């Protein structure tokens, strides 16, 4: 059985850059874009060209320099937006215009002050106009997560007929539960004629902490593209994190789906984006957090030392981390202490370990973490062994 390809659409440089304080200079954008190209993303959303001259220039620059992924520019369902996006993508090897409009009751009534029929008319007009510039046109139904499924199907049917090649079904406000989002994708798949010729895309926000789960629910229901960002950056609580959706697919769906991501680059690209945008990655962040492969509990440490897979479902090397980290704290046991002592050149016997351990616990109670440089004098004073470190 052949695996289904899941396209990874990275919007770090568009949705991720919308985070307050994360604006990048052109050279930083290009550096991140090159990192994303090396990582292996299928689509790189380079910016929102109409939003500013700087964003236009950045999309144009990335279109000239980055050749492997599809380069995408965002627009509203506004003729000038689309025209400017097309101009910024002129030098892209594979350009894509990403255009769309709000479809929920809230957006139609309160934001756009329009009617359902008028929204469909604007959506069709936008897609047709974008098709006059590029073949690859992605349509987003903003706030699809809160849009009535029957009306959403009418919108999607109309843009499919107009020539859209990719259909983005965003959970813009992070409102959906995974079963609801999966059911929404399945409803469209079953009720829109010609949708099988298009790519269905997820774009999930993390307001309720469900962006990754919703993205996976989407592909289980027929979506074949996930829109995501490095470190889960994005508006408000952020977007689905690229590193999370990729490793969920790698770890749990390897027999059904494939992604062309160089996972050993996940930690390096996470650090690159964190440094460029001055946005610290929380230590307990899945996959790329500093503590993602760290162990401080004695029970966990003993288990990991005996067999890594007792407590680690991923090999840290596979995501660009050198090795697991055994952190010495007051909760650490004898096995962890012996392991760390051996790492600095001291192979302790049982009697020596029994003497050293109480002294270690006394020190650990005074400090948050006992480092290698703390162990050296402790070993020498407690049992008189000279270390080789």
């Amino acid at each position: 059985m052949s695996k289904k390809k899941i396209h990874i659409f990275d919007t770090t440089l568009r949705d991720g850059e919308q985070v307050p304080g994360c604006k990048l200079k052109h050279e930083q954008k290009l550096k991140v874009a090159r990192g994303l190209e090396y990582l292996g993303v299928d689509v790189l959303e380079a910016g929102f060209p109409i939003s500013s001259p700087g964003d236009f220039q950045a999309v144009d620059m990335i279109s000239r320099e980055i050749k492997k992924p599809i380069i995408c520019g965002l627009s509203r369902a506004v003729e000038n937006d689309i025209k400017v996006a097309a101009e910024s993508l002129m030098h892209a090897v594979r350009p894509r215009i990403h255009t769309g409009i709000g479809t929920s009751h809230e957006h139609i009534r309160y934001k756009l002050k329009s009617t359902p029929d008028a929204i469909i008319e604007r959506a069709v007009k936008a897609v047709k106009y974008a098709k006059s510039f590029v073949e690859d046109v992605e349509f987003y139904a903003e706030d699809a997560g809160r849009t009535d499924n029957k009306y959403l199907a009418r919108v999607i049917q109309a843009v499919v007929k107009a020539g859209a090649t990719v259909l983005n079904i965003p959970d813009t406000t992070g409102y959906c539960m995974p079963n609801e989002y999966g059911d929404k994708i399945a409803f469209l798949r079953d009720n829109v004629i010609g949708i099988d010729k298009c790519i269905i895309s997820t774009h999930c926000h993390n307001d309720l902490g469900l962006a990754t789960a919703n993205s996976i629910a989407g592909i289980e229901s027929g979506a074949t593209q996930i829109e995501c960002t490095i470190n889960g950056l994005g508006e408000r609580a952020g977007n689905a994190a690229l590193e999370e959706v990729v490793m969920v697919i790698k770890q749990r769906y390897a027999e059904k789906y494939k992604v062309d991501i160089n996972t050993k680059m996940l930690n390096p690209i996470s650090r690159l984006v964190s440094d460029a945008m001055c946005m610290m990655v929380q230590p307990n962040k899945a996959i790329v957090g500093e503590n993602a492969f760290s162990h401080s509990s004695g029970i966990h440490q003993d288990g990991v030392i005996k067999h890594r897979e007792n407590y680690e479902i991923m090999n840290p090397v596979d995501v660009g981390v050198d090795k697991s980290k055994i952190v010495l704290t007051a909760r650490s046991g004898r096995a962890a202490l012996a392991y760390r002592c051996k790492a600095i050149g001291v192979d302790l016997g049982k009697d020596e370990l029994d003497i050293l351990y109480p002294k270690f616990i006394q020190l650990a109670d005074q400090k948050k973490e006992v480092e290698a440089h703390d162990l050296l004098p402790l070993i020498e004073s407690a049992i008189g062994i000279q270390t080789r470190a």
Side-chain angles (χ1 to χ4, degrees), residues 127 131 137-139 159-167 197-198:
V127 169
K131 288 288 281 191
V137 174
E138 177 168 348
F139 174 81
V159 297
V160 167
K161 188 175 180 181
T165 52
V166 184
L167 308 167
K197 304 296 192 299
C198 302

Side-chain angles (χ1 to χ4, degrees), residues 11 26 68 81 117 129 132 161 181-182 202 241 302 309 311 341:
T11 184
H26 285 184
K68 290 182 182 178
D81 276 35
D117 287 342
Y129 188 58
S132 72
K161 188 175 180 181
Y181 189 72
T202 71
D302 181 58
E309 293 181 11
Y311 287 100
C341 287

Side-chain angles (χ1 to χ4, degrees), residues 74-176:
L74 185 75
S75 76
R76 296 166 297 181
V78 174
E79 190 169 287
N80 194 47
D81 276 35
I82 295 166
K83 179 175 179 289
V84 170
E87 290 170 354
S88 72
L89 295 165
M90 280 181 59
H91 300 283
V93 174
R94 292 191 293 161
R96 175 184 294 177
I97 294 175
H98 190 186
T99 191
I101 196 167
T103 57
S104 67
H105 170 76
E106 290 81 0
H107 280 222
I108 294 172
R109 181 174 181 181
Y110 300 110
K111 176 186 169 183
L112 300 167
K113 302 186 186 305
S114 187
T115 65
D117 287 342
I119 291 300
I120 293 176
E121 185 178 338
R122 284 184 62 182
V124 168
K125 184 177 178 182
V127 169
K128 286 183 175 180
Y129 188 58
K131 288 288 281 191
S132 72
F133 296 103
V134 297
E135 179 57 33
D136 191 5
V137 174
E138 177 168 348
F139 174 81
Y140 65 84
E142 189 177 10
D143 205 20
R146 294 189 295 174
T147 300
D148 172 76
N149 286 353
K150 290 182 179 179
Y151 174 68
L152 182 61
R154 285 180 58 203
V155 176
I156 297 303
Q157 183 67 78
V159 297
V160 167
K161 188 175 180 181
T165 52
V166 184
L167 308 167
N168 180 8
I169 313 302
D171 186 22
T172 305
T173 59
Y175 178 76
C176 288

Side-chain angles (χ1 to χ4, degrees), residues 305-324:
I305 290 167
K306 287 175 178 174
H307 182 62
R308 182 186 57 76
E309 293 181 11
N310 279 328
Y311 287 100
E312 289 183 355
I313 61 168
M314 291 170 282
N315 189 331
V317 173
D318 291 342
V319 297
V321 178
D322 290 339
K323 58 184 178 181
S324 306

Side-chain angles (χ1 to χ4, degrees), residues 222-372:
T224 54
Q225 177 175 280
I226 296 176
E227 304 191 9
C228 46
T229 61
I230 300 297
N231 300 333
L233 291 171
E235 289 275 1
R236 304 180 313 281
N239 289 35
L242 182 150
E243 60 275 4
E244 293 176 15
V245 297
V246 165
M247 291 312 295
V248 169
I249 292 169
K250 288 273 190 178
Q251 292 298 120
R252 299 305 308 273
Y253 294 91
E255 294 182 0
K256 289 178 64 177
Y257 308 123
K258 65 176 182 177
V259 289
D260 294 330
I261 294 293
N262 177 5
T263 61
K264 291 183 178 180
M265 283 296 298
L266 288 174
N267 262 269
I269 193 71
S270 168
R271 299 293 172 260
L272 172 64
V273 170
S274 175
D275 291 345
M277 293 188 168
C278 298
M279 285 289 287
M280 184 189 78
V281 177
Q282 65 190 62
N284 63 324
K285 170 74 177 64
I287 318 299
V288 295
E290 185 180 351
N291 293 341
F293 297 95
S294 295
H295 307 273
S296 67
S297 160
I299 294 172
H300 285 230
Q301 290 173 332
D302 181 58
V304 167
I305 290 167
K306 287 175 178 174
H307 182 62
R308 182 186 57 76
E309 293 181 11
N310 279 328
Y311 287 100
E312 289 183 355
I313 61 168
M314 291 170 282
N315 189 331
V317 173
D318 291 342
V319 297
V321 178
D322 290 339
K323 58 184 178 181
S324 306
K325 186 179 179 183
I326 300 296
V327 181
L328 292 181
T329 69
R331 296 173 300 282
S332 298
R334 284 172 167 78
L337 179 59
Y339 177 86
R340 287 290 301 273
C341 287
K342 188 173 183 179
I344 62 170
V346 181
D347 199 350
L348 297 172
K350 181 181 182 302
D351 291 342
E352 293 168 327
L353 186 59
D354 287 343
I355 295 170
L356 182 63
Y357 186 70
K359 305 281 188 183
F360 159 73
I361 289 296
Q362 288 178 3
L363 179 62
D365 271 336
Q366 299 170 22
K367 304 189 66 174
K368 288 185 177 181
E369 183 176 336
V370 176
E371 303 283 1

